[in-house]
Amino acid sequence: MHTFFRIKKYISYWLDAVDQHSLHSPFLYDFFTRIIKPKPDLNEYREIEQLRKKLLGNERVITVDDLGSGSSALTGNVRKISEIAKTSLSPQSLSILYSKIIDHYNAKNVVELGTSLGVNTLYLASGKKARVTTFEGSSAIGDIATLTFEFAKATNINLLLGNIENTLPAFIQSTGKIDVAFIDANHRYEPTKRYFDWLAKKTHSQSVIILDDIYFSPEMEKAWNEIKKHNLVYTTIDLYRCGLVFFDPSLNKQHVVLQR
C-alpha cells in the first residue's frame, strides 16, 4: 500500500535535499553540522542493538490490538514478534539522531507516542537527563516493551498503556512543558494533527517535535504540510523519513529539506 507514492516522494526529496553549503541560517547550519552530519560511535549503542537482534529473532506469536493505521506490511492481529520488529522498529540511524537531539537540548521531559517493542524508547531514554513517557495502544506489545526495558535496566521510562485518545489528554493536563516529543502512533491525518495540536500546547521555545513517516501515505503528507503552517511553528526540517518541528520565535519562518 502507498509504495508508488513513497517512491515518488523519495525522488522529490532526493532532488530537493541540500547540505550545509546551501544553508544561510546559522541555526540550520549548526544543527546540520553538529547533529545530523557527524558519524556516531555505534559502540555506544551496542547493548540496545543486541536487544533489537533478539526481538528480530523471536518467533513467538502474540495477538495485537492495532488502534492505529495498521502496518503496511502485516495483516491480521496475530503476528510474530520478529515480524513486528522487522516492520515497526525505527532504523538505528534515526534512533541515534533522536537521541542526539535530546542530548543537544538537554531534554528532560520526553514523550513518545507509539512505543512498539521499546527499542526506539531506549534510544530516547539514553539522554543524560531524559525521563521518557511512552504511550502504547496494544497491551501485548506493551508487555514486550516492558521486558525490553527490564533487560536494558532502564529506570527512566514510564509506559502508559491504552488508547492514546484517552491517555494522552490526561497526561497533557498533568504534565509540565514538554522538551522533545516523538509522534509515531497513528499514521492517519486527523489523529496525527490532533496529537500534534495537543502536544504543541505544552511546548516552549526550545522544544522539538519529531514526526515519523511523514510520507507514509498522502494522509500523512497532508498532516505534515499543515503542521508546517501551524501558528506556533517557526522552522521545520524534512529528512524524508521524519520531520522535525521547532518552536523558537527567534527563528525565521522557514522550511528546509536536508540530506541525511
Side-chain angles (χ1 to χ4, degrees):
M1 194 193 316
H2 306 306
T3 301
F4 178 73
F5 171 81
R6 293 175 201 157
I7 292 172
K8 182 176 68 174
K9 287 301 171 181
Y10 182 77
I11 292 172
S12 297
Y13 163 79
W14 183 77
L15 292 172
D16 293 339
V18 300
D19 62 13
Q20 72 266 30
H21 302 295
S22 300
L23 297 175
H24 303 294
S25 161
F27 166 77
L28 289 172
Y29 181 89
D30 182 69
F31 192 89
F32 183 85
T33 55
R34 293 181 61 185
I35 300 176
I36 295 176
K37 186 177 180 180
K39 300 295 183 183
D41 179 5
L42 297 183
N43 287 327
E44 185 178 343
Y45 309 98
R46 185 173 56 219
E47 292 183 4
I48 300 177
E49 288 305 305
Q50 287 174 347
L51 289 172
R52 183 199 299 268
K53 186 176 180 180
K54 288 181 179 179
L55 291 166
L56 286 167
N58 191 329
E59 297 298 300
R60 184 156 69 89
V61 172
I62 61 174
T63 301
V64 176
D65 300 318
D66 200 337
L67 302 177
S69 63
S71 168
S72 61
L74 301 176
T75 58
N77 289 341
V78 179
R79 302 172 187 173
K80 292 181 180 179
I81 293 172
S82 59
E83 293 172 340
I84 298 170
K86 184 178 179 180
T87 58
S88 69
L89 296 182
S90 295
Q92 183 187 25
S93 60
L94 283 175
S95 291
I96 290 174
L97 172 64
Y98 307 150
S99 177
K100 289 166 68 176
I101 290 172
I102 287 169
D103 266 345
H104 180 76
Y105 285 98
N106 292 313
K108 297 176 182 177
N109 190 6
V110 178
V111 174
E112 178 187 42
L113 305 187
T115 312
S116 186
L117 301 175
V119 172
N120 189 68
T121 318
L122 292 176
Y123 276 93
L124 301 181
S126 67
K128 296 180 179 65
K129 300 179 180 179
R131 294 200 61 82
V132 180
T133 303
T134 183
F135 295 75
E136 176 55 47
S138 169
S139 58
I141 289 181
D143 288 343
I144 304 300
T146 298
L147 290 174
T148 301
F149 304 152
E150 290 176 358
F151 277 119
K153 295 182 174 60
T155 59
N156 58 336
I157 298 171
N158 179 31
L159 172 61
L160 296 181
L161 285 173
N163 192 326
I164 292 176
E165 297 288 343
N166 302 321
T167 55
L168 183 57
F171 172 80
I172 291 292
Q173 287 185 347
S174 63
T175 192
K177 294 294 185 180
I178 295 170
D179 300 313
V180 173
F182 177 66
I183 301 177
D184 184 26
N186 189 321
H187 293 84
R188 296 189 180 100
Y189 165 75
E190 290 185 1
T192 299
K193 277 285 281 101
R194 184 159 57 249
Y195 300 161
F196 179 86
D197 290 341
W198 288 344
L199 292 166
K201 293 175 182 178
K202 286 291 187 173
T203 59
H204 53 83
S205 63
Q206 297 302 301
S207 296
V208 183
I209 292 183
I210 305 163
L211 288 99
D212 188 61
D213 275 334
I214 55 176
Y215 297 113
F216 175 83
S217 66
E219 275 194 82
M220 278 299 294
E221 183 189 28
K222 180 182 178 183
W224 170 238
N225 285 334
E226 291 190 14
I227 285 168
K228 289 189 291 185
K229 300 173 185 177
H230 193 283
N231 65 311
L232 292 177
V233 171
Y234 286 87
T235 292
T236 56
I237 295 175
D238 181 341
L239 296 174
Y240 177 70
R241 173 61 192 264
C242 67
L244 311 179
V245 182
F246 301 88
F247 299 84
D248 189 347
S250 70
L251 301 174
N252 294 326
K253 286 275 189 179
Q254 56 189 322
H255 172 68
V256 65
V257 181
L258 292 184
Q259 293 178 2
R260 278 191 56 239

